[in-house]
Amino acid sequence: MPSTADLRARNLEFWTQAAPGWIRHADRQDVTGRPLGAAAMDWLRPRSGERILDVGCGCGGTTAELAAAVAPDGQAVGLDLAASMVTAAQHRFPPRRHTGLRFVAADIETVDVVPGAPFDAVFSRMTLMLLADPIAGCTTIRRSLRGGGRLAATAFRGGGANPWLPAAMLGAAPHIGSLPPLPVGDEPGPFAFADPARVKRVLTAAGFDEISIQAHDVTLRAPDEADAVAEWLIELGPAGPAYREAPPRAQAAARSGAARLLDRFREPGTGYLLPTGHWLITATTPG
Ligand SMILES: C[S@@+](CC[C@H](N)C(=O)[O-])C[C@H]1O[C@@H](n2cnc3c(N)ncnc32)[C@H](O)[C@@H]1O
C-alpha cells in the first residue's frame, strides 16, 4: 500500500493532468451532471444569508448555484485541488456578475481550516471518495463548520451501479497510453466509498454526528451524440489524462471503442440514459 504522501502526490498529478478535460466539458458537466448533486442540494436547503463551502468544486457550477441560493447576503466558497480548474471557475463566474462567490485552490486534507470559516454548511459532489486520506479531509471540513453545521455530499456506490463509468474507460484503454494504477482496497478512486460502513467510519473518526448514508439512483441524460458523449465520459474519468496525450488517430479509436461499450445505454432519437447509483451522505457537527 503506498504511503498517504504518495497517494496525495498521485492525486495532485492526476487532477492537474485531468483539469484541461474538465475545463473543456464544464458546461456539459453543469447540465448533464446536475443529478449527481441534486439530492445533496435538496437536503442542504441553502438559505439566504448562509455561508457555504463547496469541496472539490471543479469548474464552479455547483458553487455558483449555492451562491445564488444564499444571495444577497450569503457567500459560497468553492475549493479545489486543481489550480487551473479554480482559475477556470473564476473566469466562468466573474465577481462583477456573481456576488458572494469566491474560489480557493487548496488541498482539503492539508489545510487546517478553509479560509472564510466558519461555514454554516458544506456541499461536496463526487469528491470525498477521491481523497488520499478521507479522515484528514473530512476533519478539515468538520473544523471549518460552525457548531451544528451541516454536511451534504454525494459519492458513487460500486461499479455495478455505475456501469457507464468502467465502460468508457475500458472501451478507450486499448487505444491510448498507460492509465493510472487501479485502486487497491481503500485507495482513492471513484468506488472507494462503495462500502457505506467505511463512509460511516470515516465521518465518525472525523468527528461528525447524525451520520446518514442513503442510496439514490438517478439517470444522467446526455444527447444522442455518440462521439461527443464518449469523449466527455473518457475525459472526465480515469482515462482522461492518457486520452489527452494520445495522437488524434488513437483518440478517435478510443472514442469509437468507448462508444461501442456505451451503446447499450443509447436510445436512438432520445439520447443516452446513464444509470447512476450514489450515496447521499449527510451529517452535522456537534454543538
Ligand atoms: C470527480 S471531480 C468532481 C468535480 C465537481 N464536484 C463535479 O461534480 O462536477 C472531483 C474534484 O475533486 C477535486 N479534488 C480531488 N482531491 C481533492 C483534494 N484533496 N482537495 C480538494 N479538491 C480535491 C478534483 O480536483 C476534482 O475537481
Side-chain angles (χ1 to χ4, degrees):
M1 172 98 177
S3 68
T4 303
D6 288 345
L7 290 173
R8 277 194 187 134
R10 197 192 278 177
N11 200 30
L12 177 60
E13 186 185 3
F14 176 83
W15 285 105
T16 303
Q17 291 176 355
W22 280 76
I23 293 167
R24 214 170 135 221
H25 296 283
D27 292 340
R28 185 186 289 278
Q29 178 67 1
D30 283 354
V31 176
T32 312
R34 201 178 178 285
L36 296 172
M41 283 280 180
D42 288 350
W43 186 88
L44 211 58
R45 285 180 188 275
R47 291 184 282 273
S48 175
E50 286 195 315
R51 301 174 48 72
I52 307 206
L53 171 66
D54 182 1
V55 174
C57 65
C59 298
T62 51
T63 324
E65 193 176 334
L66 291 164
V70 299
D73 300 322
Q75 188 178 45
V77 174
L79 174 145
D80 203 279
L81 181 63
S84 58
M85 285 207 232
V86 167
T87 303
Q90 286 161 339
H91 282 119
R92 296 179 77 217
F93 305 105
R96 66 179 182 283
R97 280 196 281 126
H98 298 268
T99 50
L101 181 55
R102 203 157 63 81
F103 294 99
V104 184
D107 183 337
I108 191 67
E109 295 179 37
T110 57
V111 287
D112 185 35
V113 291
V114 175
F119 295 94
D120 297 297
V122 171
F123 172 88
S124 183
R125 188 173 82 177
M126 300 296 169
T127 295
L128 299 183
M129 69 283 184
L130 303 169
L131 302 183
D133 180 350
I135 295 177
C138 290
T139 301
T140 305
I141 291 174
R142 197 254 306 143
R143 278 197 299 256
S144 302
L145 279 163
R146 67 167 170 77
R150 50 206 204 282
L151 165 69
T154 57
F156 288 118
R157 306 209 303 273
N162 298 284
W164 50 270
L165 204 152
M169 180 179 76
L170 293 172
H175 309 285
I176 52 181
S178 58
L179 302 187
L182 286 178
V184 175
D186 284 349
E187 287 177 17
F191 305 129
F193 270 16
D195 176 5
R198 176 169 188 236
V199 181
K200 184 154 193 186
R201 278 198 303 276
V202 166
L203 289 177
T204 304
F208 279 95
D209 280 348
E210 300 180 286
I211 300 163
S212 158
I213 301 154
Q214 287 172 19
H216 274 255
D217 292 307
V218 296
T219 301
L220 303 189
R221 290 168 194 277
D224 195 5
E225 298 161 3
D227 207 53
V229 169
E231 183 162 78
W232 167 56
L233 293 177
I234 294 169
E235 287 213 79
L236 267 51
Y243 174 83
R244 290 190 66 80
E245 293 291 307
R249 188 184 292 193
Q251 289 186 337
R255 288 196 300 277
S256 359
R260 254 196 310 281
L261 294 192
L262 291 166
D263 199 51
R264 58 178 300 192
F265 306 113
R266 180 175 168 236
E267 293 201 359
T270 300
Y272 286 82
L273 303 179
L274 305 168
T276 303
H278 67 77
W279 300 121
L280 167 62
I281 302 162
T282 60
T284 57
T285 53

